[in-house]
Amino acid sequence: QVQLVEPGGGLAQAGGSLRLSCATSGRTFSLYARAWFRQPPGKEREFVAGINWTGGSTYYADSVKGRFTISRDNLKNTVYLQMNSLKPEDTAVYYCAARSFTVTMRPNDYDYWGQGTQVTVSS
């Protein structure tokens, strides 16, 4: 089994920055593609960013490209999401996720999920 744990998100002003982290325990961390999804209030869960198991390939939603950066540290079994130039529309519950093999943008493809963490961006 794989357990994903996300410490608290936070509150930021528009234009500010936050960094999310997701620690992993259980089965071999490096074998899993990792991603961040988010679910704004009243909306469906959407893909934000993904990274393959080597860390050599990253993928981003158009809405965050150039502002967010996903990275992973396989020695620490942790994946990160650095969020810069935050906008009020980035307000959502953010979830980290893991699956075998390649990154996809479909939530249903992911086998393991964190508990979610609230990110609120004020204007």
Side-chain angles (χ1 to χ4, degrees):
Q1 271 290 0
V2 174
Q3 292 81 40
L4 309 180
V5 178
E6 309 167 40
L11 175 67
Q13 291 188 331
S17 298
L18 286 173
R19 189 192 197 201
L20 303 182
S21 63
C22 180
T24 307
S25 62
R27 295 177 60 185
T28 307
F29 173 79
S30 62
L31 295 181
Y32 289 88
R34 304 297 298 278
W36 289 93
F37 288 79
R38 67 186 182 187
Q39 188 162 13
K43 297 185 179 180
E44 294 185 350
R45 195 168 299 189
E46 62 184 22
F47 176 83
V48 175
I51 187 167
N52 73 340
W53 72 277
T54 66
S57 296
T58 56
Y59 310 85
Y60 297 94
D62 289 342
S63 58
V64 306
K65 202 170 293 183
R67 300 188 298 121
F68 290 11
T69 302
I70 187 171
S71 62
R72 66 190 294 165
D73 185 336
N74 287 350
L75 294 179
K76 295 183 178 180
N77 291 345
T78 301
V79 63
Y80 305 95
L81 184 68
Q82 178 66 44
M83 305 185 292
N84 298 330
S85 303
L86 283 163
K87 303 175 181 180
E89 50 264 44
D90 294 320
T91 295
V93 177
Y94 282 72
Y95 298 89
C96 64
R99 70 183 298 267
S100 299
F101 308 115
T102 58
V103 172
T104 76
M105 296 185 179
R106 297 180 295 270
N108 288 345
D109 289 343
Y110 287 78
D111 301 307
Y112 304 101
W113 291 87
Q115 78 279 11
T117 187
Q118 178 69 46
V119 170
T120 302
V121 183
S122 61
S123 57

